[in-house]
Amino acid sequence: MSSKIEVLLPATLIRILAFAGFISAAILLVNAAKRAGIIPTSTFTQLAAPIAQIAAIGLVIGMYLLVSRKAGTLAASGAVISVTSLAGLVGVEFVLNLVFPYIGQDVVSVLRSGPLGIALTVVSMLFLVGTVIFMLALWVTSSVPKSAIVLYTASSLPIALRTVFPEIVLQLGLVGLAVAAAFLAAWMLRNVPRTAAADGVTVAQPASVTAT
């Protein structure tokens, strides 16, 4: 006797991951406002900063699940690199918000000139590379609005290269990334019924049992 087991990814999971995208967007706006001096730095803003990257991991995973059947290797590579780099950026945000503010600038300079500086650079470059690859895959294989893809990619550049660009450009990058993340999350919600069922985030596993 043979049977085919099909597991359909619950639409609820896609909605949860889309909600994570909105959380990421909100925290990015808080980070931008804090850096611009619009809101004061506080324990809340410092502790909340890494949540943007944690929630963004959910957004990337949700996007990938929706397009995986059509996007293939390119999207998989971009998603893996993006998720890996975002996990690294969580650590970066903890250092920037919970360590650097409480030590002297001379110590910060020493730390940046050592292995920590190399790690920060590697994580930032991975974030940029993963973003470009994943957004390229979305551009080619999905119905994601092209404007959101362009904005997400362009906004990632000053964030990844924050030491190169002026502070105002970094702040604009944070705002742009927040807007793009919100658009992508909204697109996910609009496409849950069609994509979860048709683009099939479906896993088919053949199983056979022989009785004698």
Side-chain angles (χ1 to χ4, degrees), residues 140-191:
V140 173
T141 61
S142 75
S143 62
V144 177
K146 299 297 189 289
S147 56
I149 294 175
V150 171
L151 182 59
Y152 192 100
T153 305
S155 299
S156 299
L157 186 60
I159 295 173
L161 304 175
R162 65 177 65 198
T163 58
V164 176
F165 289 94
E167 175 64 23
I168 183 63
V169 178
L170 174 57
Q171 294 168 14
L172 291 174
L174 291 171
V175 173
L177 193 62
V179 173
F183 268 106
L184 293 174
W187 177 85
M188 287 174 61
L189 291 178
R190 289 196 303 270
N191 285 271

Side-chain angles (χ1 to χ4, degrees), residues 34-191:
K34 178 186 67 176
R35 299 186 70 96
I38 298 174
I39 60 175
T41 299
S42 65
T43 300
F44 169 77
T45 59
Q46 289 176 307
L47 289 174
I51 297 176
Q53 284 72 31
I54 296 173
I57 291 174
L59 176 66
V60 171
I61 292 174
M63 294 288 294
Y64 174 71
L65 290 175
L66 286 177
V67 304
S68 58
R69 286 288 297 275
K70 294 181 178 180
T73 305
L74 186 63
S77 301
V80 168
I81 297 173
S82 292
V83 169
T84 301
S85 63
L86 285 168
L89 286 175
V90 173
V92 171
E93 289 297 328
F94 273 115
V95 171
L96 295 180
N97 288 276
L98 302 177
V99 178
F100 282 1
Y102 302 99
I103 59 179
Q105 287 303 310
D106 53 340
V107 179
V108 172
S109 299
V110 171
L111 290 174
R112 286 186 178 275
S113 63
L116 178 61
I118 297 174
L120 295 178
T121 301
V122 170
V123 169
S124 295
M125 292 302 98
L126 280 177
F127 171 66
L128 184 58
V129 171
T131 296
V132 170
I133 294 175
F134 190 51
M135 289 299 116
L136 177 61
L138 293 181
W139 181 285
V140 173
T141 61
S142 75
S143 62
V144 177
K146 299 297 189 289
S147 56
I149 294 175
V150 171
L151 182 59
Y152 192 100
T153 305
S155 299
S156 299
L157 186 60
I159 295 173
L161 304 175
R162 65 177 65 198
T163 58
V164 176
F165 289 94
E167 175 64 23
I168 183 63
V169 178
L170 174 57
Q171 294 168 14
L172 291 174
L174 291 171
V175 173
L177 193 62
V179 173
F183 268 106
L184 293 174
W187 177 85
M188 287 174 61
L189 291 178
R190 289 196 303 270
N191 285 271

Side-chain angles (χ1 to χ4, degrees), residues 11-20 22 59 63 66 182-195:
T12 301
L13 177 59
I14 298 297
R15 293 190 178 95
I16 292 173
L17 296 174
F19 182 67
F22 288 119
L59 176 66
M63 294 288 294
L66 286 177
F183 268 106
L184 293 174
W187 177 85
M188 287 174 61
L189 291 178
R190 289 196 303 270
N191 285 271
V192 166
R194 179 185 61 82
T195 309

